[in-house]
Amino acid sequence: MSARKAITLFWAGCLLVLCALSAFGQSQTTGRISGTVKDQNGARIVGAEVTVTSLATAEERKVRTDAEGNYAVPLLAPGTYRIKVAAGGFNSDIFDAVRVVITETTAVNAELTVAGVIVDPITVRAAPLIQTGGPQLGRVVDSRAVAELPLATRNFLQILALSPGAFADLPNNTALGRNSQAVSVNGARRTQNAFEINGLDANEFATNRSTLVAVPAPETIQEFKVQTSLYDATFGRGAGGSVQAVTRSGTNEFHGAAYEYFRNDAFNANNPFLQAAGVERPTLKRNVFGGLLGGPVKQDKAFFFASYQGTRERNGASPESLTSSILIGRGLTDDRSAQTLLATFRPRLPSGLPATSIHPAALALLNTKLPNGQFLIPTPQTDGRYSGSAISTYREDQFNANVDYRAGAKDWLAVKFFFSNAPQFSALPSGGANVPGFGADRKNDNRLFSVQNIHTFGARTVNEARVGYSRIRTDTFGRQPVKDSDVGIRRANASAYPGLGEIRIGTAGGVGNAGANGLDIGNAGTNVDIKADNYALTLVDILSITRGRHSVRTGGQVISYRTDVKTNFNRRGQIFFQSSALNSAFANFLLGQAASSTNAEGIDTRFLRAADYSLFLQDDWKLSEKLTLNL
């Protein structure tokens, strides 16, 4: 027998043995209840019947304690349950309002009294939520906390930093749109986290940025959890945090709500730097409104949940709207004739220049106006610096629809769909111009669709299967109110890529878009003209069998990724006017003496394809009530 064949047979044998032992029962979308049943003297009760009933849907699962008095009910949807423990010759015991959360095991131990003893026949009490089955660290946040916490832009991802070991920047209340936070967990990179929504991979594959993950409304989140370390073999993909979120489902009762949250700049103080520059308080109007409804389609059998949320925002206070202290040129006014410019800036120009020395393209740029009537190069305040506010806009419409159906005594089916379209306009897009006129329109679209089936083979054997896909689409297109030909600049590819390339006026080696708060106009294309489409198809199966002291999960996951990215890489070119001082840089601009120029064309289309195959085995071996080995 070859060594390779021997190794294969060894691992196959291990798999069969472990599967014969048992399987643990929680996953990305479910939790688990387990415990021990004893009598008043501490003796284990064998064969006690444990009935677990969902308070929301009346779903019922029954198991019996094993030879050591232990029981486990795996793969339970998050929510509250009633547990009844009964055994021949003993009074029944009932635990009410037992909470089950995703990824965790809720321990419920029962102590039954002998029948005939004068006590209440039924004891009702809430079971404590104690996580004793594993070493994983994390924090579960339920729907009430998500809905009631003061989130800056009502984004549940802003709560991630509340978990131990997680760090994120403080959310900016004036940020445009969703304002999702990039989180670092235990010092790992912010792109090393894994996000799953309704058990599906929801990550953006190309760069794994959390800022592009779908953001269901807080009212539609059942609960979510951030696992920061020591999470078990069911979870993974990244070296950082593992984030699982589950959206709400319907119940046996009808529940609905309507809401609106708003913010208005009338309640805000002005930015002190803008106030010092004589700029009025920026516009900030944000309205978030929506409604939800859930209930039974057929009592105890079929349930629905649906929601809508809309966001409308006009924002002049965000970093994508504010221009602060950009040095243009002291003395520049609305009179921009060649004679006035020479008279104003002659002391800063080399001596002996003739009256016609202002470069025609510079003169044309200074006198070009935007469609709204403002100058392309804005007139600065008296100190030669420009501070101002331009309006950025954001609009989102999102829908969430969930259907749960009890297909039979042994099958529970859940279908969930999330849809979001969120177009926005950034007056000052990151990586683009730093004065108004060259904003960018952006699409932010998310889709999530999942089908989940939980099949009960028997009291100790349960299987969960999931399939679904997620899509993240982000298209950004910079606006081009001016063409090169309008101001006398010639470019070989102007017909193929119309518009005005990027023009920077700043100090050499400066930091930022133009260096030391210099001027930046136009749009080269890089970081502004981008089209990206990300798909992820997820297939998951988890088998759960309970026997004796062992709890083993075994299963696998296949994720197929597809990403198409198209970037306009410097096709409109860049022109730099630089000097050791900003005033000298502006003088070089007037003379048309560019320090450098580029017109690059790189690979602008990328097709990324990948498949991720994952298999796992985990045995949680309960040696005693105080010691469990997670293998």
Side-chain angles (χ1 to χ4, degrees):
M1 180 183 297
S2 66
R4 177 178 297 180
K5 187 175 181 180
I7 293 174
T8 302
L9 291 175
F10 170 77
W11 284 112
C14 290
L15 176 62
L16 291 173
V17 170
L18 287 172
C19 288
L21 287 172
S22 58
F24 200 9
Q26 74 243 5
S27 68
Q28 292 88 339
T29 62
T30 63
R32 173 180 183 260
I33 294 175
S34 68
T36 303
V37 180
K38 302 178 181 178
D39 63 17
Q40 287 180 304
N41 298 319
R44 309 293 180 97
I45 300 178
V46 179
E49 184 179 73
V50 181
T51 304
V52 177
T53 306
S54 169
L55 298 182
T57 65
E59 179 191 9
E60 188 177 276
R61 299 263 293 274
K62 291 183 178 181
V63 297
R64 289 189 177 274
T65 57
D66 59 21
E68 297 181 349
N70 298 319
Y71 73 93
V73 186
L75 300 179
L76 294 171
T80 53
Y81 291 81
R82 176 181 291 110
I83 301 176
K84 180 180 179 181
V85 183
F90 293 90
N91 294 317
S92 298
D93 202 356
I94 290 181
F95 296 81
D96 211 6
V98 176
R99 185 184 172 202
V100 173
V101 299
I102 55 175
T103 78
E104 292 189 4
T105 298
T106 301
V108 180
N109 299 316
E111 184 179 290
L112 303 185
T113 58
V114 177
V117 177
I118 304 177
V119 295
D120 292 335
I122 296 178
T123 303
V124 181
R125 58 186 180 274
L129 181 61
I130 301 175
Q131 176 66 17
T132 60
Q136 59 268 24
L137 299 179
R139 177 187 178 93
V140 175
V141 182
D142 60 17
S143 57
R144 179 177 179 181
V146 174
E148 295 182 358
L149 283 172
L151 304 177
T153 52
R154 307 198 71 249
N155 184 335
F156 80 94
L157 296 177
Q158 294 168 355
I159 311 178
L160 300 183
L162 296 180
S163 298
F167 168 80
D169 296 332
L170 185 67
N172 184 353
N173 229 359
T174 63
L176 179 69
R178 296 173 179 170
N179 192 21
S180 297
Q181 301 300 298
V183 180
S184 172
V185 175
N186 295 327
R189 290 181 180 271
R190 300 188 179 197
T191 56
Q192 291 182 315
N193 302 312
F195 291 85
E196 293 179 323
I197 300 178
N198 293 330
L200 297 182
D201 185 287
N203 302 278
E204 185 263 341
F205 175 64
T207 60
N208 212 52
R209 290 177 293 172
S210 61
T211 53
L212 299 179
V213 172
V215 182
E219 286 76 11
T220 68
I221 299 290
Q222 174 71 26
E223 62 188 32
F224 75 91
K225 182 178 182 180
V226 185
Q227 298 188 91
T228 56
S229 65
L230 298 176
Y231 37 87
D232 60 49
T234 312
F235 313 96
R237 183 185 183 276
S242 179
V243 182
Q244 288 81 36
V246 178
T247 56
R248 293 174 63 179
S249 297
T251 67
N252 266 327
E253 297 180 358
F254 285 100
H255 293 278
Y259 58 88
E260 179 174 8
Y261 299 85
F262 75 94
R263 179 166 183 177
N264 195 293
D265 54 78
F267 302 105
N268 297 342
N270 195 3
N271 183 310
F273 298 102
L274 295 179
Q275 188 173 15
V279 179
E280 295 182 356
R281 179 173 49 199
T283 298
L284 180 54
K285 292 178 171 58
R286 181 185 296 135
N287 288 77
V288 182
F289 52 90
L292 53 94
L293 179 65
V297 177
K298 185 176 181 180
Q299 201 77 9
D300 295 343
K301 191 172 184 66
F303 313 90
F304 79 95
F305 178 86
S307 68
Y308 163 78
Q309 178 174 281
T311 303
R312 305 292 183 266
E313 182 176 346
R314 286 174 49 81
N315 193 331
S318 73
E320 298 176 70
S321 303
L322 289 177
T323 302
S324 180
S325 193
I326 297 298
L327 182 59
I328 296 177
R330 188 186 298 273
L332 182 64
T333 65
D334 290 346
D335 181 1
R336 302 185 178 192
S337 63
Q339 294 78 7
T340 302
L341 290 171
L342 282 171
T344 303
F345 294 98
R346 183 180 295 276
R348 308 169 205 173
L349 300 176
S351 59
L353 286 172
T356 58
S357 60
I358 300 295
H359 193 280
L363 186 62
L365 284 168
L366 285 168
N367 285 280
T368 298
K369 291 188 176 181
L370 300 170
N372 62 4
Q374 296 179 349
F375 281 107
L376 177 68
I377 297 178
T379 301
Q381 282 84 29
T382 55
D383 61 354
R385 295 182 178 272
Y386 173 77
S387 297
S389 170
I391 301 297
S392 298
T393 60
Y394 176 82
R395 174 191 179 104
E396 182 185 34
D397 293 289
Q398 66 167 251
F399 300 88
N400 191 69
N402 299 338
V403 175
D404 295 83
Y405 177 63
R406 182 177 293 165
K410 295 184 177 182
D411 285 283
W412 185 269
L413 186 67
V415 180
K416 299 188 176 185
F417 177 67
F418 174 80
F419 168 100
S420 173
N421 282 351
Q424 72 179 52
F425 167 69
S426 299
L428 304 173
S430 177
N434 59 10
V435 292
F438 293 89
D441 294 289
R442 181 175 181 179
K443 292 182 179 180
N444 301 274
D445 298 343
N446 294 91
R447 303 288 187 272
L448 286 166
F449 177 76
S450 67
V451 179
Q452 178 190 42
N453 173 250
I454 296 179
H455 179 77
T456 303
F457 291 99
R460 298 181 180 181
T461 307
V462 182
N463 188 81
E464 177 188 7
R466 294 194 303 271
V467 61
Y469 84 96
S470 67
R471 181 186 182 188
I472 301 174
R473 180 179 178 181
T474 55
D475 296 346
T476 305
F477 301 100
R479 294 186 179 182
Q480 295 293 335
V482 179
K483 297 180 181 179
D484 298 87
S485 57
D486 296 336
V487 295
I489 297 176
R490 292 180 297 176
R491 177 163 47 87
N493 59 357
S495 59
Y497 302 96
L500 179 67
E502 186 176 13
I503 299 175
R504 295 182 177 183
I505 306 173
T507 56
V511 178
N513 279 347
N517 289 337
L519 180 67
D520 194 342
I521 61 174
N523 171 20
T526 305
N527 299 325
V528 177
D529 290 350
I530 302 174
K531 183 176 182 180
D533 219 345
N534 297 269
Y535 298 87
L537 175 65
T538 304
L539 300 170
V540 182
D541 191 83
I542 300 174
L543 179 65
S544 186
I545 309 168
T546 304
R547 181 174 297 174
R549 294 171 178 258
H550 292 272
S551 293
V552 180
R553 272 164 294 178
T554 180
Q557 175 177 270
V558 179
I559 305 176
S560 176
Y561 296 102
R562 171 187 166 187
T563 298
D564 301 336
V565 181
K566 184 175 182 179
T567 304
N568 186 350
F569 183 70
N570 281 349
R571 292 187 179 240
R572 297 189 191 93
Q574 296 173 304
I575 302 175
F576 300 92
F577 296 92
Q578 296 179 335
S579 181
S580 58
L582 281 175
N583 287 329
S584 299
F586 189 76
N588 290 337
F589 164 71
L590 293 176
L591 297 173
Q593 296 178 353
S596 63
S597 63
T598 62
N599 186 7
E601 293 194 18
I603 299 175
D604 67 348
T605 303
R606 289 160 286 167
F607 300 101
L608 309 178
R609 303 290 185 269
D612 186 18
Y613 303 93
S614 304
L615 300 174
F616 73 90
L617 288 169
Q618 170 135 347
D619 181 12
D620 291 343
W621 185 5
K622 189 175 182 180
L623 295 177
S624 68
E625 292 186 17
K626 297 182 179 181
L627 178 61
T628 300
L629 297 181
N630 305 114
L631 308 175

